[in-house]
Amino acid sequence: MRIKFLSFIASFFMVSFVITSCLDDDNDIEYSPDATIHAFELDTIYGISYKFTIDQQNGLIYNQDSLPVHADTIIDKILIKTLTTASGVITMKDKEGRDSIININDSLDLRKKLEIKVWSTEALAGIAPNKVKPYIIEVRVHKHDPDSLSWGYVGEIGDEIKGAQKTIKFKDEYFTYSMDGSSVKVHSSSDLSNWNLQNATGLATLPNSILPLEKIILATANNKVYESTDGIAWTESNKFSGEVNTFISAIPIENDNRQTEEEKYIQQATYLKTEDNVRYLYSILESELGIGNAETKIQAAGENFPTKNISYTTFKKGGQYQNVIIGEHDESIKITVGDKEIPVSIAWGYNGTTWAELGTTSTVAYCPEFKNPTIIYYNNLLYTFGDKFESIYVSKNEGIAWQKADKKFSFPYQDWSDPEFKPTIEKPEFMGRTNYSVVQDTKNDYIYFLFSKGDVLFEEGENTHPYSHDSEIWRARLNQLWFDKDPKHAGQ
């Protein structure tokens, strides 16, 4: 970098000051006290001009929107496009530690913070040596891609869980149900880290559906309904008539009888019943459970309506809550792509009154069939995935059309090219896993994955990879949501 020593410039100002004073001792010469940066801009990065903030009070120049990951390969040699001060001289330290004038026609390495100084003309002339303002130029670069999921290991579930499981959140407690021999076990936790293990009384088998409402939990097993107010003790319910196959979803409905703002919404449960070998969709308000004739028949379930392992999510649109579900069918729904039949999933939506088929059988916008599917509403989009953990699909139009999610929004996969490789906590592998459940922490934007202990063997091309994993918990969060919640991490 071509730089001029400050001592030379200072000498020039001192001589100028002496000459001017000798010419006219009666003249009051005013030198500009302005020792501030007025404008700063870097050359474009990936074709984008990033805006920089100048914090005059703290002497800091920084970009609020962090540069993309790996932009450090650009800012290691970059031009300052604009560096403006009203008057004075801008310097930085040279290799020998001397204050030397910056030549912005030369590139700079801005991977580390750069300290500069603005010298007023008075400071240069020696009249007011303290009128020098230091600045720190900090170019912030994401250490984490904002569009990527970051994964973290939470820990093991205290006592091993094997086989199928279901997890719910009821009030402020999480409950994970599984079978141990002929007993239904329930692991409970308030933080998904510390667990208590108990027997779930009143249940002879793992329910095929469990639905938490505000004050009660409902479940189905063998076409019967069970209920619990604490997640541990269960009794067969007398609040439903006929053969209830499975609960589908819960949705907040405006409460016309509310007395306070906290009572604005009331939970409505929806479920499938079989009558004369025909499946029907029903609903009931939680406040009307146990009241005669409170069940409402919504409509007959279409043949594309799922029959089992139904997963639902809830979101608000235009002031009204909506449900979207995905599940499994007794016989797969298939479409023909080229000369090949592809099993697909069909999403259904519910607005509190009517169920409607949302999914498409388009060969370019379908959702593949997942075993043990999960659907979530996350970052204003719908995502779905299932057993084997091979891919995540996303819908940007509320369940109508689907596409494979960006590779950044994916499960942790590892390179198995080393024949001795085995997954670890530091390098986890989810491919091939089954027997899991998912819950969301909407306050902190975490997605929690609870896995049962298992042995895995999955195929990758012509290779097969075996590994084992414990009954453990992982969580994921989109980096951008982390940055939004805590701006101090915006450059991380």
Side-chain angles (χ1 to χ4, degrees):
M1 177 182 294
R2 299 186 302 275
I3 49 182
K4 297 179 180 179
F5 297 133
L6 182 63
S7 56
F8 173 79
I9 301 298
S11 299
F12 172 79
F13 272 92
M14 283 293 293
V15 170
S16 299
F17 174 73
V18 171
I19 292 173
T20 307
S21 299
C22 292
L23 288 175
D24 188 353
D25 289 338
D26 295 328
N27 278 345
D28 290 330
I29 300 175
E30 293 187 3
Y31 291 91
S32 171
D34 191 346
T36 59
I37 300 291
H38 287 187
F40 179 86
E41 184 181 5
L42 288 181
D43 203 357
T44 59
I45 299 167
Y46 297 126
I48 299 173
S49 294
Y50 283 83
K51 182 180 179 181
F52 279 77
T53 296
I54 302 174
D55 181 347
Q56 302 289 3
Q57 183 175 356
N58 296 304
L60 183 62
I61 302 171
Y62 64 96
N63 50 317
Q64 285 190 335
D65 294 330
S66 297
L67 306 185
V69 176
H70 307 311
D72 53 351
T73 60
I74 296 176
I75 63 171
D76 63 345
K77 193 175 182 181
I78 192 167
L79 291 174
I80 295 178
K81 193 174 180 180
T82 304
L83 184 59
T84 305
T85 182
S87 61
V89 173
I90 303 172
T91 67
M92 60 175 282
K93 296 290 186 183
D94 64 9
K95 292 181 179 179
E96 284 71 39
R98 294 174 295 189
D99 288 310
S100 301
I101 298 171
I102 289 180
N103 180 3
I104 66 171
N105 293 318
D106 286 338
S107 58
L108 288 167
D109 185 349
L110 293 179
R111 289 174 297 179
K112 295 181 179 179
K113 296 178 182 180
L114 177 67
E115 183 175 353
I116 64 173
K117 293 179 182 177
V118 181
W119 300 71
S120 70
T121 49
E122 289 181 334
L124 289 169
I127 302 171
N130 292 329
K131 288 189 176 179
V132 178
K133 184 170 180 60
Y135 287 88
I136 297 292
I137 299 174
E138 180 184 358
V139 181
R140 298 176 177 179
V141 180
H142 283 300
K143 295 182 179 70
H144 304 281
D145 191 321
D147 298 322
S148 294
L149 282 180
S150 285
W151 291 87
Y153 176 71
V154 177
E156 293 186 17
I157 301 174
D159 296 270
E160 285 185 354
I161 295 178
K162 297 180 180 179
Q165 58 160 283
K166 292 186 181 296
T167 301
I168 61 167
K169 184 179 183 182
F170 179 61
K171 298 180 179 178
D172 294 323
E173 196 86 0
Y174 296 93
F175 297 92
T176 298
Y177 298 88
S178 62
M179 293 296 296
D180 183 7
S182 59
S183 300
V184 178
K185 298 290 185 179
V186 55
H187 291 76
S188 59
S189 173
S190 60
D191 58 5
L192 292 167
S193 295
N194 302 296
W195 295 86
N196 295 314
L197 175 62
Q198 299 178 67
N199 287 319
T201 61
L203 292 175
T205 187
L206 182 67
N208 65 305
S209 69
I210 306 178
L211 186 70
L213 300 177
E214 288 292 330
K215 299 178 181 178
I216 194 170
I217 310 172
L218 302 173
T220 54
N222 300 321
N223 297 322
K224 294 180 180 179
V225 176
Y226 294 82
E227 62 183 64
S228 173
T229 56
D230 63 4
I232 308 298
W234 293 80
T235 58
E236 188 172 339
S237 178
N238 60 3
K239 297 178 172 64
F240 297 83
S241 62
E243 186 179 285
V244 178
N245 310 129
T246 185
F247 284 104
I248 301 168
S249 67
I251 189 170
I253 300 292
E254 284 210 43
N255 183 6
D256 295 332
N257 300 318
R258 66 178 179 267
Q259 303 295 319
T260 65
E261 188 61 24
E262 283 122 6
E263 298 174 329
K264 183 176 181 180
Y265 292 99
I266 190 167
Q267 291 291 319
Q268 181 195 79
T270 61
Y271 47 100
L272 272 173
K273 291 176 68 172
T274 299
E275 299 172 347
D276 299 325
N277 296 318
V278 177
R279 294 184 309 145
Y280 290 95
L281 295 161
Y282 271 80
S283 70
I284 190 170
L285 292 173
E286 181 176 15
S287 61
E288 296 180 354
L289 285 170
I291 298 176
N293 300 318
E295 296 178 86
T296 299
K297 181 185 286 188
I298 303 172
Q299 66 199 65
E303 63 179 30
N304 282 347
F305 200 90
T307 58
K308 56 189 176 183
N309 288 337
I310 297 173
S311 174
Y312 81 94
T313 191
T314 305
F315 60 93
K316 201 170 186 179
K317 180 182 179 182
Q320 183 178 3
Y321 284 96
Q322 314 243 348
N323 285 150
V324 176
I325 68 165
I326 277 182
E328 293 184 49
H329 300 81
D330 292 327
E331 293 186 15
S332 297
I333 300 172
K334 297 179 180 179
I335 62 172
T336 302
V337 180
D339 58 354
K340 189 177 181 181
E341 285 194 327
I342 305 292
V344 298
S345 295
I346 301 294
W348 285 73
Y350 182 61
N351 60 6
T353 304
T354 306
W355 282 97
E357 185 175 328
L358 302 175
T360 175
T361 54
S362 163
T363 58
V364 295
Y366 66 87
C367 179
E369 179 184 61
F370 291 109
K371 299 299 181 183
N372 190 19
T374 294
I375 189 169
I376 60 173
Y377 187 71
Y378 188 73
N379 194 32
N380 300 318
L381 296 172
L382 290 173
Y383 292 93
T384 186
F385 47 85
D387 277 2
K388 305 298 185 182
F389 290 86
E390 294 174 350
S391 58
I392 300 175
Y393 271 69
V394 60
S395 175
K396 299 178 181 179
N397 54 6
E398 298 166 358
I400 297 173
W402 296 85
Q403 64 188 62
K404 188 175 286 190
D406 188 282
K407 63 181 180 180
K408 298 176 183 179
F409 196 100
S410 63
F411 301 118
Y413 300 135
Q414 301 302 329
D415 179 6
W416 286 78
S417 57
D418 179 356
E420 300 300 318
F421 172 76
K422 293 295 180 185
T424 63
I425 299 302
E426 292 73 27
K427 290 187 175 182
E429 176 66 81
F430 287 5
M431 185 80 82
R433 294 192 181 196
T434 58
N435 297 322
Y436 76 98
S437 54
V438 172
V439 288
Q440 289 179 257
D441 174 358
T442 54
K443 180 180 178 181
N444 297 299
D445 296 315
Y446 281 116
I447 312 167
Y448 282 86
F449 291 74
L450 295 84
F451 293 102
S452 298
K453 182 181 178 69
D455 298 317
V456 175
L457 180 66
F458 74 91
E459 296 181 358
E460 185 180 46
E462 297 180 354
N463 300 314
T464 56
H465 304 301
Y467 72 96
S468 299
H469 63 87
D470 294 322
S471 52
E472 56 192 28
I473 303 174
W474 290 81
R475 68 183 185 184
R477 180 165 61 180
L478 187 68
N479 286 330
Q480 185 59 62
L481 299 181
W482 173 37
F483 302 157
D484 290 345
K485 283 199 179 299
D486 194 348
K488 72 181 181 181
H489 296 302
Q492 296 188 5

